[in-house]
Amino acid sequence: MKNLNKLIRYLYDKNENTLYFYDKKTESVLIFEEEWVKNHDSLKVHHLNDYSIDEMSLLDFASLELFTLPLPKVSNFEVMSAFVQKYEYDDLKDCLHKKKSYKHFKELISEYNLEDEYDMFEENLYKKVIKEWAFMNNVVYKKISKNQKRTLVEQANKIMEYEPWKYFSDQDHITIHFDDSEISYVVLGNAGSCYGLCVYYGEEGFRQLNLECLLAELDDKSILPHMIKNSYAIYFDYYDDLNIEEKDFLDSTLKEIKNIKYPSFHEFKIGRPFDYVHSNVQFHELNYALEMFLVFIREYSKKPRHYKDIFDLNVTIDNNYNVKYRKANNDFIAPPHFNELLLVDENNFKKGNHTFVFDLIGSPEPVIKDGEAYLPFIPIILDKNTKKIIYSTPCIATTTDFISPIYTAIKEFFTKTRAPKDIISLNPISNIVAGLLLKDPNRITISPERNPIIEDFKEGLLEELLSDATIQEEYVQ
C-alpha cells in the first residue's frame, strides 16, 4: 500500500457516501466508495495527485481510523469567481450574476479554449482549500509553537503538584472516558525512582498497554515493550539531568530553577525509535490527555479509593467535568491489531519431527528504509533437538501491524525448510505468531521459563548490534 503509514486522519462525508483520506506526504486526497466497501473485503485507493490506484484490506483500513472531520467543499460559484478575476472576460463575469449560469459559463470556457486552464485552476484551488483546512484542523504537521510548549509544561507541572505516584503504582491502569474518547494512563514514581505519566489512546492503546506489561514482566531490560505501542510519556527530572533536546524545549518556556523537577515529553511509535514532541498534532493529542488526567487527579486526591480497588480503574468525565467511577472491565483483552486474514491463510508446510523454541527481541539500533528509521523485530528460533539457533533474521514493521511482517518472514522460512512438530513459545507475541503459523493450538506450548541457549544468543546478538552502532558513530565523527 503506497504511503499507507503516512495517512494520519480518517474522514467521512455522509452526503457523498464517500470515505476520504488526506495524505500529508504527497498532499493527495484518497477516495473510497462506501457502497463498494460494504460488499468487498478490500478497498480501492484512488490517489488524486497522480491518479494511481492501490488496494488494501478492510482490516488495514480499520486500523487507521482515528478521527472524523468534515471535508471542505469548493462550490462551482467559488471556482467561477476566482477564475474570472484572473482572466477578466466580461461575459464570464456576467455569469456570476445570473441563475443557473454554470452551464453557460462552461460553454464560454470551451469557446475561449480555456478548458485546460480552468481544470488546472480548479484543481489548484481545491488543493489550496484542502491545505488550509488541513492546517486549521491539525491534519498535517507543523512545528509546535512556543505557547503550545508552555501550555504542556504548565499542564504537566499542575499534575506533578498532586503527586499522583502517592496513590498509584506502575501496575495500576487508569482509563478515562470523555465524550467518545478513551485514554489510559500509567503513573510512574511510586517506587521512588522514575517519575512520570504514560498515555495510551483508545481500545487499541489499552491492548498495547497490557501487552507491554506482560513483556516487561518477562524481561524488564528488553526494549521490546517500547516497540509495540503508540503512546506518549512525560518524565520529570532535574534540569541538569535533561539532555540537550529536552532543555531546548524548556528554554523557550521558563527559566531554570534549582532543585525542582522539569517535564520532558516523548512519543513512542510501533517499531520506531522514540521521538520528542515537536509538532502541533502531538501537542493537541497530548494536551487533551493531560487536561483529562488533571480533572481526574484533582477530584481523586480529595478522596482516594482503597488500594485494592485501583488496579483497573475506569473513570467517566461528563460534560460538566464531574468524575464518576465505573465498574472495572475484567473481560478478555484482545491481542493487538493484525491482519485477521492471516487466520485463514493456508500454510502447506512440510512437517518435521523437531521441536522449535520461539522467542522475539527488539533491536536497540535503528535501520533506515526509504529515509525513515525503524527498530527491527528479531524473531529467534532454536531447534530444541539439535540445540542450535536456526533463525534470527530481523524484520521491520512499516505500519501499526507488527504481527504480519514477523509471520510473513517465518512463513517463508518454514516454506523453504520444514515446519516443526510443535513450538514452545517464550512470549505473548511469539505465541500469537506460532498460532497463526501452525493453526493448531495443540502443537503450541507457552513456557514462562527462559531458555539458556537463547538467552546467551540474545546477549551476544545485542552486544554485537550495539558494538556495530558504536563503530559507525566513531566513523561518522
Side-chain angles (χ1 to χ4, degrees):
M1 168 62 193
K2 179 180 179 181
N3 289 325
L4 182 60
N5 58 315
K6 298 299 180 185
L7 305 176
I8 60 172
R9 289 292 184 269
Y10 158 69
L11 316 166
Y12 177 50
D13 185 330
K14 294 181 179 178
N15 297 325
E16 299 294 335
N17 286 327
T18 304
L19 299 168
Y20 294 90
F21 280 94
Y22 182 82
D23 185 326
K24 73 182 180 69
K25 187 170 184 179
T26 62
E27 294 188 355
S28 62
V29 179
L30 315 180
I31 301 176
F32 299 79
E33 292 296 334
E34 186 186 40
E35 292 303 318
W36 189 88
V37 168
K38 288 180 179 178
N39 300 309
H40 292 76
D41 294 327
S42 59
L43 300 168
K44 293 287 185 181
V45 185
H46 301 262
H47 296 263
L48 297 192
N49 63 319
D50 60 3
Y51 303 103
S52 63
I53 299 176
D54 285 319
E55 187 165 328
M56 63 187 286
S57 73
L58 284 170
L59 293 163
D60 285 340
F61 164 76
S63 72
L64 296 172
E65 185 174 332
L66 294 175
F67 294 95
T68 56
L69 296 170
L71 198 71
K73 300 289 186 180
V74 181
S75 67
N76 291 333
F77 182 81
E78 288 176 296
V79 181
M80 291 163 57
S81 299
F83 188 78
V84 298
Q85 291 177 14
K86 180 177 180 180
Y87 287 92
E88 297 186 349
Y89 287 90
D90 290 338
D91 44 0
L92 290 177
K93 289 182 179 180
D94 291 339
C95 293
L96 298 176
H97 308 291
K98 298 177 181 179
K99 292 182 178 181
K100 299 180 180 180
S101 59
Y102 181 65
K103 182 178 180 180
H104 181 53
F105 183 87
K106 295 289 287 190
E107 290 173 351
L108 290 173
I109 291 293
S110 178
E111 183 179 326
Y112 291 132
N113 294 319
L114 294 173
E115 293 101 329
D116 291 342
E117 287 87 347
Y118 183 80
D119 290 342
M120 182 65 71
F121 185 86
E122 184 177 30
E123 182 178 348
N124 289 336
L125 179 63
Y126 189 71
K127 283 184 178 179
K128 180 182 178 183
V129 170
I130 285 287
K131 194 169 184 177
E132 291 175 352
W133 163 87
F135 277 109
M136 287 292 292
N137 289 283
N138 302 307
V139 175
V140 295
Y141 283 88
K142 59 182 178 182
K143 192 174 180 180
I144 188 172
S145 69
K146 185 182 294 186
N147 286 337
Q148 289 173 332
K149 289 181 180 180
R150 183 178 293 110
T151 298
L152 287 183
V153 171
E154 290 173 351
Q155 293 273 50
N157 285 340
K158 287 178 183 177
I159 289 173
M160 187 179 180
E161 289 174 4
Y162 287 97
E163 299 182 310
W165 37 84
K166 286 185 175 180
Y167 312 111
F168 306 104
S169 76
D170 58 7
Q171 300 297 311
D172 301 321
H173 302 163
I174 306 158
T175 301
I176 295 177
H177 304 263
F178 179 76
D179 284 343
D180 295 327
S181 67
E182 176 183 317
I183 307 177
S184 298
Y185 303 83
V186 171
V187 176
L188 307 177
N190 184 262
S193 53
C194 176
Y195 294 87
L197 184 70
C198 301
V199 181
Y200 306 77
Y201 293 88
E203 292 182 4
E204 185 65 20
F206 186 70
R207 295 175 187 177
Q208 293 167 4
L209 166 57
N210 281 274
L211 179 58
E212 178 188 358
C213 292
L214 289 174
L215 293 171
E217 287 177 7
L218 293 172
D219 186 356
D220 57 2
K221 296 180 181 179
S222 171
I223 191 176
L224 193 58
H226 302 294
M227 291 174 55
I228 51 83
K229 62 180 181 177
N230 291 325
S231 68
Y232 289 99
I234 302 98
Y235 301 112
F236 294 96
D237 295 286
Y238 292 113
Y239 190 85
D240 289 342
D241 295 329
L242 301 176
N243 62 33
I244 294 175
E245 291 195 54
E246 293 165 343
K247 288 180 179 178
D248 285 345
F249 188 100
L250 288 172
D251 287 344
S252 62
T253 64
L254 42 80
K255 294 182 179 179
E256 178 184 352
I257 303 174
K258 297 291 184 182
N259 300 321
I260 72 166
K261 291 182 180 289
Y262 290 88
S264 59
F265 305 91
H266 304 248
E267 182 183 30
F268 294 89
K269 287 186 176 182
I270 290 174
R272 301 295 191 97
F274 88 87
D275 196 7
Y276 296 98
V277 171
H278 52 68
S279 77
N280 64 321
V281 173
Q282 293 169 314
F283 162 76
H284 285 287
E285 290 178 347
L286 187 51
N287 186 53
Y288 178 76
L290 293 179
E291 284 180 351
M292 291 301 101
F293 191 82
L294 186 57
V295 172
F296 158 71
I297 196 63
R298 185 184 293 125
E299 291 301 311
Y300 186 88
S301 62
K302 296 176 183 177
K303 190 178 180 181
R305 305 192 74 185
H306 192 275
Y307 191 79
K308 292 182 179 179
D309 298 332
I310 295 177
F311 183 73
D312 276 313
L313 188 62
N314 268 262
V315 177
T316 295
I317 298 177
D318 63 25
N319 291 327
N320 294 319
Y321 295 97
N322 297 311
V323 176
K324 300 178 181 178
Y325 297 102
R326 300 168 52 159
K327 185 177 180 180
N329 182 9
N330 296 318
D331 295 339
F332 168 74
I333 299 173
H337 161 76
F338 62 89
N339 186 347
E340 293 184 13
L341 293 177
L342 300 183
L343 293 168
V344 294
D345 184 34
E346 293 186 4
N347 297 327
N348 299 317
F349 304 131
K350 294 178 182 178
K351 185 177 177 182
N353 295 319
H354 288 202
T355 296
F356 290 173
V357 183
F358 183 12
D359 202 355
L360 180 75
I361 64 171
S363 170
E365 291 303 318
V367 298
I368 306 299
K369 180 181 179 182
D370 298 330
E372 298 201 26
Y374 298 91
L375 293 176
F377 293 88
I378 307 178
I380 300 173
I381 299 177
L382 166 72
D383 187 325
K384 189 177 180 182
N385 298 67
T386 64
K387 297 183 179 180
K388 292 182 179 180
I389 302 294
I390 59 173
Y391 188 89
S392 61
T393 304
C395 58
I396 63 173
T398 57
T399 71
T400 56
D401 176 8
F402 58 88
I403 299 291
S404 295
I406 300 171
Y407 165 88
T408 302
I410 299 178
K411 177 186 176 181
E412 184 178 342
F413 174 68
F414 284 178
T415 302
K416 291 179 179 178
T417 56
R418 288 178 182 271
K421 176 182 66 176
D422 51 20
I423 289 178
I424 299 174
S425 174
L426 299 186
N427 77 50
I429 300 175
S430 60
N431 187 52
I432 294 171
V433 177
L436 293 171
L437 288 164
L438 299 188
K439 302 289 193 297
D440 183 358
N442 295 321
R443 294 169 61 191
I444 302 168
T445 304
I446 303 173
S447 174
E449 297 180 3
R450 297 185 182 184
N451 181 285
I453 298 176
I454 289 183
E455 290 303 309
D456 287 344
F457 180 82
K458 288 195 305 188
E459 184 177 348
L461 179 60
L462 292 174
E463 286 180 0
E464 182 180 344
L465 290 169
L466 292 171
S467 175
D468 289 346
T470 302
I471 292 171
Q472 289 176 10
E473 288 178 4
E474 291 175 352
Y475 179 76
V476 170
Q477 291 174 357

